[in-house]
Amino acid sequence: MDWTPGSVASLRERYDLPFVRADREGLVVEFNDRFGAVYGWDSSLIGKTLGMILPEQFRELHHAGFARFQITESSQVVNHPLELATICADGSVIRSEHFIVAEKDSSEGWSFAATLRPLEGPHAC
Amino acid sequence: MPAEGPVNPHTETSELVSQLRQSLGLLRVAFDATGEAMLIVDSDRFVRWVNQTAAELWGAGLPLRVIGKPLEALISFRQLDQRLLLLTDSHHPLIQAQSGEGQDLFLIQAVSSLDNSQADVLQRMVAWRPITEMGGAFTLLIFRDLEPMEKSLQQQRAFINTLAHELRTPLAILSGSLRRMDRLTPMALPLDSVLNDAIHETKRMAALVDQLLLLSELDTNGFHWNLKCNPYDQFLLRWMDTLDSNHRSSVCLQWPKEPQQCFLELDQIAVNRIFDCLLDNSLRIGQSDVTFSISICIKSSFIDFNVSDNGPGIPDDQEIGALFDRFSRLEIHRALGSGDGCGLGLSVVKGLVEGMGGSVLSGEMRPGGGASKPFEIILRFPIIRDLPGSNVAQEGVHPEVLEDAQKDPV
């Protein structure tokens, strides 16, 4: 697996972009204020699957990818900008550029984080 | 002239009974000889008759092990995505049979083997037909194994589904990388144009893959519907909320003169997709000053959304219905230099509308200004009469609604 220690922390410091992090099971453990402001999610997202912010038709792929990662510890989508639809809390959709990184911690195992750059709507950048 | 001998009523009755028995026996042989499993259930869902194929499948070859049992004690119905259908589910064949005859693909599993492997699950085309002629409400269910051609078609659709899924990830990476390059790396003019073309074409390819995937999910009953019963205007207003101000200004909603509270059972995301697609078509073909109109007409049992635009229209010799065929594109629109859609959008619209129990109809054939007629279609959905919160399953469509809709053409 191609990953750099500190990659999650460096994404977290991008205050100008929405940031979200999930644990090794793909459950959301944190996100920044920008993420809440752009996509409308509140703290009720914590503990829920990351699939919540993906279109329904992508969720199966997402879960399969996560399951595959547990076995192979490799992924096509990590460290690449991905253009994906992102689901907002109200169900609307914003096309966004996701940049996902993965990091392994000796105690907690794998952790996944992403910045999301909205490509349309009032927050487009 | 020979005198007629006295008729023995007993002999005559006996002959009639014998003939009747023989006819019934022949009928039995005919029904047992078919490869299709058939059974008839009564209004309480008890099995009243089976043929031999059904008995082989669910009664170890003995009809008596099946007759008299409730249907749910014998078999369970699942959708192709494995979702178990409860008896109250609007997609259950017995519920659908309340609205008339029809057929659909299901996974069938014998209840006795529910704990066993997936090998016991059969995929069958199930046809249902209400029988009302016999003085009671019965339903005939026919379970047909798919013909080789149908199986081949199913495999082809499954292949397209897999292919589209597999293409999504590389396309998302390609698209994201090109956009990042565009944002971070200023390029000289010719290269800039090349990059823009690459972004544009990748976006088009991603849209094509999305639409192919959606169509294959609709074809194979793999689409996850999230049907909700809401006032009809709420669906439209929620769609309007998703539009940016430019697009919103192109839309003209015409509400009924006498407002009425009517409920429809629709999937909001599907509704958004339908109107997005129609609006996108109108804007792409009609260019900047197009007005996209949705006029709502409420009838006794259904609501019509009359969708039209003031774009260039379609040639007089072109059937509007043909535009809903897959990969159908009009040469006139290509010539306008704006028609770079892939020709699947209207097929998606049709699939989504029909998947929610609606239908797509051609609008009135008003004469156009020249050799073309305006684009106008009607999206018709049955009104849900049972108010939300009532005990009646809201996922089902009232039988009368469908009946009226079928009787009341435009």
Side-chain angles (χ1 to χ4, degrees), chain B residues 325-374:
Chain B
D325 294 341
R326 293 175 192 190
F327 296 107
S328 165
R329 281 183 288 181
L330 292 178
E331 286 305 320
I332 183 179
H333 293 162
R334 292 181 199 229
L336 287 168
S338 55
D340 62 352
C342 53
L344 287 177
L346 291 180
S347 303
V348 167
V349 166
K350 187 167 186 276
L352 289 172
V353 169
E354 290 176 352
M356 294 187 286
S359 50
V360 180
L361 307 162
S362 300
E364 286 175 37
M365 291 296 112
R366 285 185 285 115
S372 66
K373 57 195 170 200

Side-chain angles (χ1 to χ4, degrees), chain B residues 274-275 278 303-307 324 349 353 359-361 377-381:
Chain B
I274 287 167
F275 288 114
L278 292 170
I303 295 182
D304 281 346
F305 296 94
N306 295 276
V307 180
F324 291 88
V349 166
V353 169
S359 50
V360 180
L361 307 162
I377 60 166
I378 297 166
L379 311 182
R380 172 172 293 179
F381 294 101

Side-chain angles (χ1 to χ4, degrees), chain A residues 56-58 60-61 76-77 80-84 92 95 97 99 117 119 125, chain B residues 165 168-170 172-173 175-177 179-180 183 203 213 217 224 242 269 273:
Chain A
E56 194 156 326
Q57 63 269 30
F58 257 103
E60 209 174 304
L61 265 184
Q76 271 184 301
V77 300
H80 294 288
L82 300 158
E83 188 175 327
L84 296 173
S92 58
R95 222 160 28 83
E97 183 186 298
F99 188 79
R117 178 185 294 274
L119 299 172
C125 55
Chain B
H165 261 303
R168 268 189 152 160
T169 302
I173 294 174
S175 181
S177 301
R179 280 196 182 275
R180 178 168 280 214
R183 193 172 61 248
K203 187 178 168 189
L213 187 56
E217 284 173 347
H224 299 284
T242 66
I269 291 176
R273 190 144 192 174

Side-chain angles (χ1 to χ4, degrees), chain B residues 253-270:
Chain B
L253 286 181
Q254 293 167 339
W255 301 104
K257 284 175 186 160
E258 294 174 13
Q260 293 178 48
Q261 178 86 311
C262 294
F263 285 83
L264 296 178
E265 189 182 43
L266 303 175
D267 177 325
Q268 184 67 54
I269 291 176

Side-chain angles (χ1 to χ4, degrees), chain B residues 236 239 251-254 275 292-296 305-307:
Chain B
L236 274 179
W239 167 66
V251 178
C252 172
L253 286 181
Q254 293 167 339
F275 288 114
F292 177 80
S293 302
I294 304 173
S295 161
I296 293 100
F305 296 94
N306 295 276
V307 180

